[in-house]
Amino acid sequence: MKALEEKILQEGEVVDGDILKVDGFVNHQVDALLMEEIGKDMAEHFKGQGITKVFTIESSGIAPALFTVKDIISPAIFVLESEPIRMILKKQQTADSLKTEVWQTEVVSYTKDTSYRLTLAKNYISDEDHVLIVDDFLANGEAATGAIRLIRKAHATVAGLGVLIEKAFQPGREKLESQGIHVYAQASIKAFENGKVVF
Ligand code: 5GP
């Protein structure tokens, strides 16, 4: 997607050798107009596939997922709650006190070098759902694999994974495609060379 690639070239910053910082338009400050274009493009790519829900992981996936939902005419968006492992007890107590039945799965965070747990309330998904996962980045595929585990626990089906930015030099795509998951990346980064992005 040309507009996204241009924005990455203008404002993206390569840090620690293999992390792309996009705080100015995705992760910290959100460029709403760009997100709208991103959502339209995502919806266009996945339209006509009988998607009933769009799934994302808080918090950076929410903006693009909302615009995708708007254009794909899907009735609902899921936000998977994520939490550092140290917060589980507190979160679990909250879930218990609300009498919410949840599925949980653990995911290794690529950027934060830690683990977190994804939580999904059982009452918002069923075996009739065909679910598109939308997230900001695809790197090693851990976050997407965690989301897929939860969708499968509910016996729902996965329509695919749509990401804004794929780091194609990492194994995420291969891991997902080998499980039969369709992956769409709006910007695919081949490499970082001398601190510069190469598509
Ligand atoms: P994966 O689970 O595929 O290894 O990593 C995907 C998750 O890690 C994304 O949800 C994103 O939050 C984070 N991530 C991975 N690589 C990058 C990166 O280069 N920049 C930023 N900002 N986030 C990343």
Side-chain angles (χ1 to χ4, degrees), residues 46 49 51 130-133 157-161 181-182:
F46 286 99
Q49 297 188 25
I51 290 163
H130 191 46
V131 183
L132 169 65
I133 303 163
T157 49
V158 180
L161 169 71
I181 304 293
H182 172 72

Side-chain angles (χ1 to χ4, degrees), residues 18-20 27 110-111 135-143 167:
D18 64 354
I19 301 283
L20 181 68
N27 293 132
Y110 182 77
T111 42
D135 202 8
D136 57 350
F137 275 85
L138 174 62
N140 288 334
E142 290 291 326
K167 294 190 290 183

